[in-house]
Amino acid sequence: MNIEEYRDFCLSLPEVTEGFPFGEDTLVMKVKGKMFTLASLNSFTFNVKCDPERAIELREQYPEVLPGYHMNKKHWNTIIPDGSADDALMREWIRDSYRLVVSKLPLKDRTGLI
C-alpha cells in the first residue's frame, strides 16, 4: 500500500473527510469530525486506533506494527507498510479503526455508517 492507495481507501468509507490540522506533513482522516487514522507523508507510515488487547496482539504478530507514534500507545498502533503485511490486512486495520471510532459516536451520528 502506498499513500495514494491509503488515501483512496480511507475516502471510500462513509462520511470521511481529510485535513492537515497538524501541519502539511500529516494527513488526518476523520469520520464525523473524529480522527480514526493519520499518516506521515514524509516517510509513509500511518496510525490506526485499536482495541487495547488487539493492539498488543498485532504488535506481537507483525513486525511492521508498533505502538502509536506520538499517540496513546494503549489505543493506537503505527503501521509501517514495508510489504510484510498485505494490502488487504492493512485495509482491515483501517476499517477496524473506523468502526471503533464510529461505535463511540452518538447514535444519531453513527446511523448508516457501520
Side-chain angles (χ1 to χ4, degrees):
M1 176 178 288
N2 61 39
I3 187 65
E4 290 85 11
E5 293 165 332
Y6 164 86
R7 180 180 177 269
D8 289 345
F9 178 72
C10 291
L11 290 173
S12 75
L13 299 170
E15 300 289 329
V16 170
T17 59
E18 63 183 331
F20 292 88
F22 305 123
E24 62 187 32
D25 297 328
T26 305
L27 175 61
V28 175
M29 298 292 184
K30 295 181 178 182
V31 56
K32 295 285 187 172
K34 300 292 184 182
M35 179 173 58
F36 70 95
T37 183
L38 67 153
S40 169
L41 301 181
N42 288 333
S43 58
F44 177 52
T45 62
F46 63 93
N47 290 1
V48 290
K49 195 159 191 173
C50 197
D51 171 79
E53 289 180 21
R54 179 77 171 135
I56 293 168
E57 290 173 14
L58 292 174
R59 291 173 202 163
E60 290 172 351
Q61 190 173 1
Y62 300 97
E64 68 275 17
V65 178
L66 306 171
Y69 182 69
H70 285 305
M71 306 295 281
N72 180 327
K73 290 164 182 24
K74 180 177 180 181
H75 296 280
W76 290 85
N77 279 339
T78 293
I79 313 302
I80 303 169
D82 63 3
S84 49
D86 66 24
D87 289 359
L89 190 55
M90 287 186 280
R91 284 191 297 271
E92 177 184 323
W93 296 335
I94 294 167
R95 194 176 298 113
D96 288 346
S97 180
Y98 174 89
R99 287 182 185 138
L100 186 60
V101 170
V102 167
S103 74
K104 304 294 183 189
L105 293 172
L107 180 60
K108 66 179 180 62
D109 289 337
R110 67 185 134 143
T111 302
L113 295 179
I114 51 176

